Amino acid sequence: MVDLNRGSALGSSGASELFQLLRDGQPRTRAELAALTGLARSTIAARVETLMALELISPVGDAASTGGRPSSQFALNASARIVLAADLGATHATLAATDLAGVILGEVHEDIDIASGPEAVLGWMVSAARQLLDELGRPHHDLIAIGVGVPGPVQHSTGRPVNPPIMPGWDRFDVPGWVQQHLEVPVLVDNDVNIMALGERAFAWPNTEHLMFVKVATGIGAGVISGGLLQRGAQGIAGDIGHVQVARGAGIPCHCGNRGCLEALASGPAIAKALREAGLDVATSRDVIELVKRGNIEAIQAVRQAGRDIGEVLTAAVSLINPSVIAIGGSMARAGEHLIAGVREIVYTRSMPLATEHLSIVQSSAAENAAVLGASMLAIHHALSPAGVDALSPRA
């Protein structure tokens, strides 16, 4: 029998196991679906009819006959509906539309400051969503869910940010409720690094059970997948490594109110500040990356040291979580191997040999698409859950 949880870091969605099986794109007959899931043929037949009526699956030809009438085969109709995936960063925003297989159909980008407040940022998102749907020629009723990633801790059950350090005005703001006043579909909200971990795993490491995604940008954070499942923690701040104290940062103030935080030393703005103090003409993280690409020694050394600082914290994480993959992403990952080299230098030197024997520390393969891919997975998982399918049913 097929393990229908495998490949989804969001876990099982119960009755939507039929969807999970059909999402691989392989056509199957009713009898094959019954054998693979262990469900009764009558149950399979009823669910197939419901999904056909909703146009979520479609017939794709007949199976080879073994005598008698050939059996019809069915597969997920990924283009039947769409979801929206929003990556709201500290200084940028991306909104993408994907089909039910997570294929990006179109996207828009905008430089926008998360500190502008929830109504300004979400207002842009709603406007961009309507524009994107129109450009794709899709009626608004084809939209069935929205996934949103934000750069701060989130109470996942409510979708409300909780004391986010770089998001003034967002604390406890009802993001799903506000968006649903304008787009009447389910809205799922999570920390941006969590959705990046989901996107990276789906894109590059689908069979990896233990993975960390580390985002290094305006802030620093990690998304943790352990035992094949995304780990959010009790209050939704699992992986908040940016505010772990590091030895080299003693006395350096952090915007969270503490001193010596990793983020105050190794984030993009922190590296830029250090280079400015050294006399270089650097204003932003982008300037740092450009200097590195041009071979500036001071910038390369600063980025490599940031990698060492991050490695110091990740060494403890390796001992605690024992991942087999650490993927480094975020805007500062565009500095190339210099950042990752610093991380590897410390982690491989200080961790126990058994913990690092099969550990890969790599640059994100999904790169700038990690967040929108993860946000689309969040939305799709909900849309294809029993509650999501029931909401689409004509009986609802």
Side-chain angles (χ1 to χ4, degrees):
M1 186 178 297
V2 170
D3 179 0
L4 296 171
N5 289 336
R6 190 173 183 84
S8 173
L10 292 163
S12 172
S13 51
S16 69
E17 59 188 7
L18 196 60
F19 271 111
Q20 304 305 319
L21 187 56
L22 289 168
R23 280 176 62 186
D24 66 4
Q26 180 179 338
R28 292 181 173 87
T29 65
R30 292 182 179 89
E32 288 171 332
L33 291 170
L36 288 166
T37 62
L39 299 173
R41 288 197 182 193
S42 58
T43 302
I44 291 290
R47 290 183 182 173
V48 164
E49 290 305 313
T50 298
L51 300 177
M52 285 279 288
L54 295 170
E55 300 181 350
L56 292 178
I57 64 172
S58 58
V60 291
D62 295 332
S65 175
T66 57
R69 181 180 176 184
S71 300
S72 298
Q73 293 181 308
F74 303 90
L76 179 68
N77 180 15
S79 63
R81 305 294 175 93
I82 61 174
V83 302
L84 290 175
D87 169 26
L88 306 180
T91 58
H92 76 279
T94 299
L95 181 73
T98 81
D99 66 14
L100 297 181
V103 175
I104 296 175
L105 306 175
E107 59 186 341
V108 291
H109 307 272
E110 185 75 18
D111 289 333
I112 191 166
D113 190 349
I114 199 76
S116 300
E119 294 189 359
V121 174
L122 296 176
W124 170 85
M125 188 186 82
V126 168
S127 176
R130 290 170 174 157
Q131 178 185 340
L132 188 55
L133 291 173
D134 291 342
E135 289 176 354
L136 293 172
R138 302 296 296 255
H140 288 206
H141 59 73
D142 276 1
L143 176 64
I144 56 173
I146 302 173
V148 182
V150 297
V154 174
Q155 186 178 48
H156 181 66
S157 60
T158 65
R160 295 172 183 257
V162 180
N163 297 321
I166 63 171
M167 299 172 63
W170 289 78
D171 185 33
R172 312 285 175 176
F173 187 84
D174 186 5
V175 175
W178 194 95
V179 175
Q180 286 171 327
Q181 293 176 21
H182 306 274
L183 298 169
E184 297 179 2
V185 294
V187 179
L188 296 307
V189 186
D190 208 335
N191 174 267
D192 59 354
V193 191
N194 284 344
I195 65 170
M196 285 177 164
L198 292 174
E200 178 71 16
R201 181 175 187 255
F203 184 82
W205 309 90
N207 297 315
T208 297
E209 297 289 292
H210 304 279
L211 175 146
M212 286 185 69
F213 186 98
V214 179
K215 177 187 177 184
V216 187
T218 303
I220 298 176
V224 179
I225 291 174
S226 184
L229 295 174
L230 179 65
Q231 305 298 318
R232 296 187 175 94
Q235 306 300 328
I237 64 167
D240 191 13
I241 64 172
H243 299 287
V244 173
Q245 193 174 67
V246 291
R248 197 174 69 89
I252 297 177
C254 179
H255 53 75
C256 73
N258 290 324
R259 292 178 178 272
C261 295
L262 175 64
E263 198 167 289
L265 272 182
S267 65
I271 298 171
K273 180 183 177 183
L275 290 174
R276 278 198 307 275
E277 292 174 350
L280 276 69
D281 184 16
V282 178
T284 67
S285 304
R286 292 177 185 175
D287 296 334
V288 175
I289 294 167
E290 285 304 313
L291 284 176
V292 170
K293 289 180 177 179
R294 293 204 300 265
N296 182 277
I297 297 300
E298 290 88 347
I300 290 172
Q301 290 177 341
V303 168
R304 179 130 184 177
Q305 181 58 52
R308 295 187 187 103
D309 294 330
I310 294 166
E312 182 180 331
V313 173
L314 290 181
T315 297
V318 165
S319 294
L320 279 170
I321 302 167
N322 190 203
S324 53
V325 174
I326 297 176
I328 310 292
S331 60
M332 291 307 299
R334 293 199 293 269
E337 282 294 313
H338 302 292
L339 183 72
I340 295 174
V343 174
R344 289 172 177 155
E345 178 185 335
I346 299 301
V347 173
Y348 288 142
T349 301
R350 298 187 183 177
S351 299
M352 294 293 290
L354 183 60
T356 58
E357 182 178 3
H358 301 293
L359 172 63
S360 298
I361 302 176
V362 298
Q363 190 158 7
S364 167
S365 296
E368 66 272 9
N369 286 329
V372 292
L373 289 173
S376 75
M377 289 180 59
L378 202 63
I380 290 167
H381 183 78
H382 177 85
L384 302 187
S385 69
V389 172
D390 288 344
L392 294 174
S393 169
R395 292 191 301 274

